[in-house]
Amino acid sequence: MPAVPFQYMLGSFKRRRLTMIITMGGFALVIFVYTAVLMMSHGVEKTLATGGSEQNVVVSRKSSQGEISSIIDGDAVNVILTLPQIAKDANGRTLATAEPVVVINLYKKDDGGMSNVTIRGVDETAFKVRAHVKITDGKMFAPGSRDIVVGKAVNSGFAGTSIGERIKIANDYWTIVGVMSAEGSAFESEIWGDSKQLQAAFNRQNTISTMTFRMTDQASIDEIKKAFESDRRLVQYEPKTEIKFYKEQSELLAAFLKALGTAVTFIFSFGAIIGAVITMYTAVANRTTEIGTLRALGFRRRSVLFSFLIESVFLALIGGAGGVALAAFLQFFSISTINFNSFAELSFAFSLSPEIIINAMFFSVFMGVFGGFFPSIRAARLKIVDALRNE
């Protein structure tokens, strides 16, 4: 079966340049939306996952949906601190941090609306367990004080969060003394203060929300799980690696973004496919005589069919590549939304990955095949005599 020469298809593109560009633009728009949505979902997962380490373990109450709904009493904290699997620093101090986590309302800078912000009670050990969290401006709060440090995203996104300003927390005013960064992780969307002061302010006595500790090099998460299951004082709590814990925190929001984006893309894709169908039907109508000539020269119906189908897929691939390239610029932007698990504002950046690019290009091919299929069938079914008489 002789194939239709590539030069013939290329010449077709040049003759119908305008309609081809419009069709490719339609494909590019759909793929831009599709890629942007996947980048949002991946950005949420990446933001929460980068806040964790495989060497750190987060303990929360079983069946809790997040840190806000988890409660660990002081007696359980003392039992956990005796586990031999917890690493110690050079001074022999246990690398563990017991953290109360609450949310407060602050006003956003962009629209003046109110949103929830997470406040985490910590001590100096929290900065050893999470070494990627650094004070980049100002200073660390003094232990026992009602000073706080705010994450970069809080500092840039909420009013009244500059160093020296005061925030009302639980009927008292706390002074901002520093700004922290955390390599783009979710901790940049939080406020950190002294854990004892936070427990007292919210009347939580000795209860905390979660506990995070560093494992020794010899320990494993399976070994720690067995230790919890074998101790009746700890069976109601569940240890997970920090990465797994925060990844689970992103699942609900990421799934919602994917579902919403898929629905929007599905609607948009109809427009692109219709555009491709019109373009290819127009190409068939304008090239009826050419098709008759090709058939008279010995090219079979299947060759004509594949020729038009390849043209459609080629248009979709070019448009898809343009859409992905355009969406790649979104990596320079960050947005924020409410995390459904923490009920607090989460700032994250769009994130592109090889998997997203592959998915986008496969979707482009699908639209190209679907949009070009019926016009290709029409071209292949033209009779030689009728096609040549068309002129």
Side-chain angles (χ1 to χ4, degrees), residues 13-43:
F13 290 145
K14 293 180 180 177
R15 289 192 296 274
R16 280 169 287 279
R17 191 177 300 132
L18 179 60
T19 56
M20 295 294 182
I21 290 174
I22 293 173
T23 303
M24 285 190 288
F27 282 126
L29 177 62
V30 173
I31 294 303
F32 171 77
V33 174
Y34 181 66
T35 306
V37 169
L38 293 183
M39 288 173 67
M40 285 176 63
S41 177
H42 184 55

Side-chain angles (χ1 to χ4, degrees), residues 26-346:
F27 282 126
L29 177 62
V30 173
I31 294 303
F32 171 77
V33 174
Y34 181 66
T35 306
V37 169
L38 293 183
M39 288 173 67
M40 285 176 63
S41 177
H42 184 55
V44 170
E45 294 173 339
K46 189 176 178 181
T47 298
L48 288 170
T50 53
S53 163
E54 287 290 352
Q55 200 62 26
N56 289 345
V57 175
V58 177
V59 181
S60 62
R61 180 176 286 274
K62 285 182 178 177
S63 302
S64 61
Q65 299 302 309
E67 293 185 280
I68 298 297
S69 57
S70 172
I71 296 178
I72 303 175
D73 62 59
D75 292 338
V77 171
N78 292 331
V79 174
I80 294 171
L81 287 173
T82 64
L83 292 174
Q85 293 86 0
I86 301 179
K88 295 182 179 179
D89 63 14
N91 298 319
R93 290 190 58 181
T94 304
L95 289 175
T97 171
E99 301 172 342
V101 179
V102 296
V103 295
I104 63 168
N105 299 128
L106 290 178
Y107 289 100
K108 299 174 74 172
K109 287 181 179 177
D110 54 0
D111 59 5
M114 188 176 284
S115 187
N116 292 339
V117 176
T118 297
I119 299 186
R120 183 180 300 274
V122 301
D123 58 28
E124 60 180 11
T125 310
F127 289 87
K128 296 179 180 177
V129 175
R130 305 183 184 100
H132 63 292
V133 182
K134 308 282 187 186
I135 301 296
T136 56
D137 196 9
K139 62 180 182 180
M140 174 64 179
F141 60 81
S145 70
R146 295 212 163 181
D147 294 342
I148 50 177
V149 295
V150 298
K152 281 173 57 180
V154 175
N155 178 249
S156 62
F158 289 87
T161 56
S162 299
I163 294 176
E165 294 189 284
R166 304 174 74 196
I167 295 176
K168 190 174 185 179
I169 301 174
N171 298 320
D172 198 3
Y173 284 94
W174 298 51
T175 304
I176 300 171
V177 297
V179 177
M180 62 181 177
S181 67
E183 297 180 353
S185 70
F187 295 125
E188 292 185 355
S189 299
E190 296 184 353
I191 297 173
W192 285 15
D194 182 85
S195 58
K196 299 296 183 187
Q197 288 295 318
L198 205 63
Q199 285 175 314
F202 286 89
N203 195 27
R204 299 190 66 163
Q205 300 179 350
N206 64 346
T207 62
I208 60 166
S209 301
T210 56
M211 186 171 180
T212 302
F213 62 82
R214 175 79 54 81
M215 288 188 291
T216 62
D217 294 337
Q218 297 74 28
S220 69
I221 187 63
D222 292 333
E223 182 184 349
I224 292 171
K225 285 180 178 177
K226 287 180 182 176
F228 274 71
E229 291 167 358
S230 61
D231 192 325
R232 61 181 179 80
R233 297 168 296 181
L234 300 179
V235 291
Q236 58 188 315
Y237 306 109
E238 186 174 20
K240 297 176 183 175
T241 63
E242 201 173 23
I243 285 183
K244 181 179 181 183
F245 180 83
Y246 286 117
K247 187 174 182 180
E248 289 178 355
Q249 298 295 298
S250 72
E251 287 178 348
L252 192 57
L253 178 58
F256 171 76
L257 291 175
K258 279 183 181 176
L260 178 64
T262 301
V264 172
T265 304
F266 186 71
I267 295 171
F268 273 47
S269 66
F270 267 109
I273 290 173
I274 290 172
V277 169
I278 293 173
T279 299
M280 296 312 296
Y281 267 128
T282 304
V284 172
N286 292 337
R287 291 153 62 186
T288 303
T289 304
E290 295 177 12
I291 294 169
T293 303
L294 289 172
R295 294 279 290 114
L297 290 173
F299 291 99
R300 306 187 67 175
R301 294 182 187 276
R302 280 177 292 179
S303 299
V304 175
L305 185 147
F306 281 117
S307 168
F308 278 85
L309 207 53
I310 289 172
E311 283 187 29
S312 178
V313 171
F314 189 70
L315 288 175
L317 281 173
I318 297 294
V324 171
L326 197 60
F329 288 101
L330 292 175
Q331 294 179 100
F332 298 105
F333 298 94
S334 295
I335 58 174
S336 64
T337 187
I338 292 290
N339 186 352
F340 300 150
N341 285 86
S342 65
F343 303 108
E345 196 84 4
L346 174 69

